[in-house]
Every structure is written in structure tokens, then in C-alpha cells.
Amino acid sequence: MSRLGIIAGGGALPRKLIRACQRDGKPFFVLALQGQTDKKNLVDVPHQWSRVGAINEAVGILKAENVDTLVMAGAVRRPGLMEMRPDWRTIQVFARLGTAAFGDDALLRAAASELEKDGFKLIGAHEIEPELITPAGVLTRKQPSAENNADLEYGLRVAKALGQLDVGQAAVVQQGVVLGVEALEGTDALLKRCRSLKCKGRGGVLVKASKPQQDKRLDLPTIGLRTVRHAYEAGLEGIAVEAGASLLLDREEVIAAADKLGMFVAGIRA
Amino acid sequence: MSRLGIIAGGGALPRKLIRACQRDGKPFFVLALQGQTDKKNLVDVPHQWSRVGAINEAVGILKAENVDTLVMAGAVRRPGLMEMRPDWRTIQVFARLGTAAFGDDALLRAAASELEKDGFKLIGAHEIEPELITPAGVLTRKQPSAENNADLEYGLRVAKALGQLDVGQAAVVQQGVVLGVEALEGTDALLKRCRSLKCKGRGGVLVKASKPQQDKRLDLPTIGLRTVRHAYEAGLEGIAVEAGASLLLDREEVIAAADKLGMFVAGIRA
């Protein structure tokens, strides 16, 4: 019987999908990526290890494991060219992309289309677990203030501009000033840095948005309990992510935690 | 006799201008800003302290000190609204700007135009010391590689997009991936963070560019010896700033230091 292949990047998303498959009795197989996948996700789970630069090896493993459908789950940090040790097929992908500047996103899309060429059907995490998609509206008791909304609007424009250039997905804004924007460091590191950048006084929001060119099957912006904790520790008043185009892990726990901390969590429209 | 007023933000630029005035025998007066101006710049220098939120007080001091021309030198970090304790005139500026989101740059421009209304002539730092402007071309023995140039081109696009949104002026790129972008934390903090984000292997450049809407008299992107040191410690191969639209402090020392460290420094066109 054919199986769902979960290509597991970092973070908690691979575990959510593994749980969903186990719950639904759906046959699956995990392709773990060296230096990216959390080993804790793999206990009692059918899996094999590969690495980012080995597309050809990955295809071989997935075919041997009878995988026909693929989901890419969790952020995959692109290693340096040297560290990557690309196999011949990965090199062909690079050659096709050219020597022009290209970011994480271009590489991810290229890898995905390469896998599709081999007949794999690529689906999004939300197709396995629709509840992961962030709904529109304020989800918490706390509502954003007028000032919060102005900062959210500004942060959304910044996040979209960053996304368009394939830089990152997140921005932190307080009182009309952008405290920090995300590139390779990720949202957790961004929030940690903002602890010392936030000025005294009210306000402060985190915005995460999908890239304008986002393929919804790949690397959607994601928040979870850890995001709420880090945002709280940075002194922020709330978090907004793009409704319908982002993943909200552990929705109930996230809302409960935000309610307890007096923060808002909202799905906003671009 | 009327004097040049130097409104002194952070960094080394105010000192350069003070030195230039002393060298040229040009009468001057420094308005130091609490929490922004480096006190070391003020030894044996005619000055008075004020604060960012006190436009009316600043105007009073500058008029009493017989200042007719003003230069704003060095980055001015906008304090939080509470911390700022704006005087009535500053509040009027805020009211005019409206409650919509506005960044550091909008505030700086508003402050500048407020001072111009009072009859002060505003000039740029390069009008006092033309040598500060970055020339076009590679200034060091080391030349950027083809890969460096691709990263510079990408970084320039990112920096310009950030600038347009009034977020920041700098980006660090390696092998086609944006390691980090600057917002409120400043270039030094950005470079420190990139130490752990840079992947093994070659490449890595810092790009700083002016904002598309930049008033050349205000807050031009600036690099100096400290930038070279931080870029080196981050493992970068070179630095590019926008020719004709950025300030290069201590040009000779910067070039000598970069030559010694095997790095390039270049002025590039947008």
C-alpha cells in the first residue's frame, strides 16, 4: 500500500502530522534531514535519514518505501554550499537556477518541483490537518488596540516586502517603529533580540505573513506555544498571523496561554 | 557672529564635524541629546544638553547661542513616547503626522522641517566635510568576487526595500541567502548576530544603502573602522555602501584595516 512521505524539517510541525497520521490510521513514512529534524519526533516512527543536498538519495529512499504523496513539514534551513555536499541531481538543480542570487525559498521550490517530476504528489500540511490553518479574527479575550492595529498594518507591509525578496516572514513593531525583522535567524531569535530593543511603555506586536509568491504546500509561516512565550518575554502585547495562509500549532493551548498572559492572538487578512 | 549648530546623535560622526570646524576655524555649537550623544565628544566643546522630545527647548537654546545653520550628525534613536516626554511643539508635530504608523525617518524629517520653519538652514555633514562621502568603486586591494557581486546586488535590493519602508539600511548576504537585516538594533548588532548565522565556507557581504526617500542632510548610512572590525569578526569578505549617498568615516584607516584583514570595501551604485 502506498504511503504518505513526511519530509521533516525543524520545529513541532512534523510531530503534529505524525500524530494526525497515527490517529487517522494513515500509512506514512518520515524522511528525516540531518541537522534539521528533531530526533524526538522519530521514536517508534518509520523513518530514514538523508540530507538536504541529496535529492537523488531522497528520491531513492522514498520510492523504496512506497511513498507516492509528499508533505514538506517544518522549516528547512539551507546549509552552506560546502556543507551541503550536493549530489549530481542537486547540482543539476543549482545549475538550472543559475549563479544569480537565490534564497531559501527558490531552493525549496526547486526541490519540490524536482520531486514532482519523479511523480510524487506534493500536498500541504493543512491538507492532512486542516485545523492547523489560522482562522480570521481575534482568537483571544484581549483585543488589539487602535495603536496595535496601526502597528499590525505596518508590520504586515514590512513582512510582505521581506517575503517578496525571500528574506523572512516576521516583523516586530512598537509605536510605529520596526524593532526587528526576521531573516535566517528565525522568529524565536528575533523575539529574543527585541527584549532589549523594545522601548518602555505600551505596545509591541509580532506579525508573521506568507510570502506573496508563497506555495501553500511549502514552509507556511507558523506560530505555536513557544512563539507566545517568546513574544511575552519580549514584552509584546500580541501576535497576528495571516489568516488562511499560516499554521497555528496547538490552537487551544496557544489561546489559553495568551488569555492567561493578557495577550491577543489574531488572524489578519493581507 | 552666527554659528553652525551640530545636533549630535550617536556614533563618531559628531566628533568628525567638531574636528572639521576646529580645523577650519569655523564657529560652532553642539546641541547634545540625552541618551544619544557620546560625552567624550564634548570635552572643551561649546555645548548644551537637550532631549529628543523637546523641540521647543532646542529652538530656544540654538537661537540664544546664535546658531543660524544646522547639521544633524549621527543616528538618533527615537525613544518611546512615554520616555520622550514631548513638549507642546513636539506634540504638535506628532498631531500633524497623525496616529498612522510612522517610523524614525518620518519623525526625523518632521523635526528637520520644524527647525527649518524657525529659519534655521539645514545642511548635510558632507557639506562641512566633503571627504566623508563614499566614492564609487573598490577602495581596497581585495576585489569582490563574482559571487560577492551577486550577493551585493541582492543585498542592495533588500536594503532599498527596507529603506523604503523606513525599517533600516543594512543587509548581510552569503551565497544567495540573506543572513540578517537591520532594523532598530543597528549595524553593529546585526553583524554580531551574523557570526552564528553565517554558514561554513566562503562568501558573506554587508551592504548599506540610503533610503529611496532619503534626505541627504539626514541620517545617511555610515560605516567606519568599527564596521570593518565587526564585519571581519562575522567572517564576511567585504562591505559595500552606496557611492555618493553614504558616509565613510576615517577613510584611510578603514582602507588600511580592510587591506590588512584581506577584505574589500566598495562604493556601489544603486
Side-chain angles (χ1 to χ4, degrees):
Chain A
M1 194 175 57
S2 63
R3 300 201 276 183
L4 171 72
I6 301 174
I7 300 183
L13 183 58
R15 189 166 58 242
K16 302 286 161 206
L17 299 186
I18 290 167
R19 295 270 161 78
C21 288
Q22 289 169 332
R23 180 196 62 202
D24 301 343
K26 192 181 184 73
F28 71 100
F29 171 83
V30 174
L31 188 77
L33 297 174
Q34 278 164 29
Q36 318 258 0
T37 311
D38 185 347
K39 281 173 188 150
K40 282 182 290 186
N41 293 342
L42 302 173
V43 181
D44 294 327
V45 159
H47 71 278
Q48 218 166 305
W49 287 90
S50 186
R51 56 192 178 79
V52 170
I55 297 179
N56 202 48
E57 182 189 76
V59 167
I61 294 170
L62 294 167
K63 296 219 168 197
E65 294 291 342
N66 211 18
V67 166
D68 64 347
T69 303
L70 279 175
V71 61
M72 295 172 102
V76 174
R77 196 181 140 152
R78 178 185 147 190
L81 289 181
M82 310 265 288
E83 203 181 336
M84 191 185 274
R85 293 177 291 122
D87 66 13
W88 63 268
R89 187 146 173 195
T90 310
I91 286 168
Q92 285 184 312
V93 171
F94 277 120
R96 208 166 48 246
L97 285 171
T99 53
F102 56 87
D104 279 351
D105 196 51
L107 190 64
L108 196 61
R109 272 183 275 129
S113 91
E114 198 64 22
L115 291 166
E116 285 186 308
K117 268 188 222 159
D118 267 291
F120 295 107
K121 188 189 169 201
L122 198 67
I123 62 171
H126 57 287
E127 293 176 70
I128 295 159
E129 188 64 298
E131 295 228 328
L132 290 171
I133 286 282
T134 309
V138 179
L139 305 173
T140 47
R141 282 198 297 271
K142 170 98 173 178
Q143 303 287 314
S145 67
E147 189 181 59
N148 290 151
N149 280 326
D151 285 345
L152 291 176
E153 191 269 331
Y154 184 18
L156 188 60
R157 276 193 298 135
V158 171
K160 284 286 178 192
L162 284 173
Q164 190 151 28
L165 287 160
D166 195 15
V167 174
Q169 302 176 324
V172 176
V173 185
Q174 182 195 20
Q175 295 179 14
V177 174
V178 178
L179 304 187
V181 283
E182 177 196 44
L184 199 63
E185 75 275 24
T187 308
D188 291 346
L190 166 67
L191 288 170
K192 277 185 193 168
R193 167 167 99 242
C194 288
R195 284 183 209 173
S196 59
L197 296 170
K198 184 171 179 285
C199 66
K200 285 173 215 157
R202 65 174 192 280
V205 299
L206 167 70
V207 185
K208 284 192 86 167
S210 67
K211 301 171 180 184
Q213 73 281 20
Q214 185 98 38
D215 180 336
K216 276 200 189 178
R217 302 168 306 173
L218 303 174
D219 193 25
L220 278 182
T222 302
I223 64 163
L225 268 173
R226 208 174 49 194
T227 321
V228 173
R229 197 184 70 228
H230 283 302
Y232 177 75
E233 286 170 356
L236 304 188
E237 294 184 352
I239 299 170
V241 281
E242 197 178 343
S246 64
L247 302 178
L248 175 51
L249 307 184
D250 303 308
R251 189 188 302 196
E252 283 173 31
E253 292 91 326
V254 162
I255 295 170
D259 276 342
K260 199 172 158 191
L261 297 168
M263 296 171 70
F264 69 82
V265 173
I268 55 173
R269 296 284 182 197
Chain B
M1 196 174 54
S2 63
R3 299 204 274 182
L4 171 72
I6 300 174
I7 300 182
L13 183 59
R15 190 167 56 242
K16 302 287 163 205
L17 299 186
I18 290 167
R19 293 272 161 79
C21 288
Q22 288 170 331
R23 180 195 64 203
D24 302 342
K26 194 183 180 72
F28 72 99
F29 171 83
V30 174
L31 188 78
L33 298 174
Q34 278 163 30
Q36 318 257 0
T37 312
D38 184 347
K39 280 174 191 151
K40 282 182 292 187
N41 293 342
L42 301 173
V43 180
D44 295 327
V45 158
H47 71 276
Q48 217 167 306
W49 287 91
S50 185
R51 54 192 180 80
V52 171
I55 297 179
N56 201 48
E57 182 188 74
V59 167
I61 294 171
L62 293 168
K63 296 218 168 198
E65 294 291 340
N66 211 18
V67 166
D68 63 348
T69 304
L70 278 175
V71 61
M72 295 173 100
V76 174
R77 198 182 139 151
R78 178 185 147 189
L81 289 181
M82 309 266 286
E83 202 181 335
M84 190 185 279
R85 295 177 292 120
D87 66 14
W88 63 268
R89 188 144 171 195
T90 310
I91 287 169
Q92 284 183 314
V93 172
F94 278 120
R96 206 167 50 244
L97 285 170
T99 53
F102 58 87
D104 279 351
D105 196 53
L107 190 63
L108 197 60
R109 272 183 275 129
S113 90
E114 198 64 21
L115 291 166
E116 284 185 308
K117 268 189 222 158
D118 267 291
F120 295 106
K121 188 189 170 200
L122 199 67
I123 64 172
H126 57 288
E127 294 177 68
I128 294 159
E129 187 66 297
E131 296 229 328
L132 291 171
I133 285 283
T134 309
V138 180
L139 305 173
T140 47
R141 283 198 295 269
K142 170 100 170 177
Q143 304 287 315
S145 67
E147 189 181 62
N148 290 151
N149 279 326
D151 285 347
L152 291 176
E153 191 271 330
Y154 185 16
L156 187 61
R157 277 193 296 136
V158 171
K160 284 287 177 189
L162 284 172
Q164 190 151 31
L165 288 159
D166 196 14
V167 173
Q169 302 175 323
V172 176
V173 185
Q174 183 195 20
Q175 295 179 17
V177 174
V178 179
L179 304 186
V181 282
E182 177 198 46
L184 199 62
E185 76 276 24
T187 308
D188 291 345
L190 165 67
L191 288 170
K192 277 186 194 169
R193 168 166 101 241
C194 287
R195 284 183 210 174
S196 60
L197 296 170
K198 184 171 178 284
C199 67
K200 286 172 215 160
R202 63 170 194 282
V205 298
L206 167 70
V207 185
K208 286 192 84 167
S210 67
K211 301 172 180 180
Q213 73 282 17
Q214 184 97 40
D215 180 335
K216 278 203 188 175
R217 302 168 306 172
L218 302 174
D219 193 24
L220 279 183
T222 302
I223 64 162
L225 269 172
R226 209 173 49 195
T227 321
V228 174
R229 198 183 69 230
H230 283 302
Y232 176 76
E233 286 170 356
L236 304 188
E237 295 184 352
I239 301 170
V241 282
E242 198 179 343
S246 65
L247 303 178
L248 174 51
L249 307 184
D250 302 309
R251 190 188 301 193
E252 283 172 30
E253 292 92 327
V254 162
I255 295 171
D259 277 340
K260 198 172 158 191
L261 297 168
M263 297 171 69
F264 69 82
V265 173
I268 54 174
R269 296 283 181 198

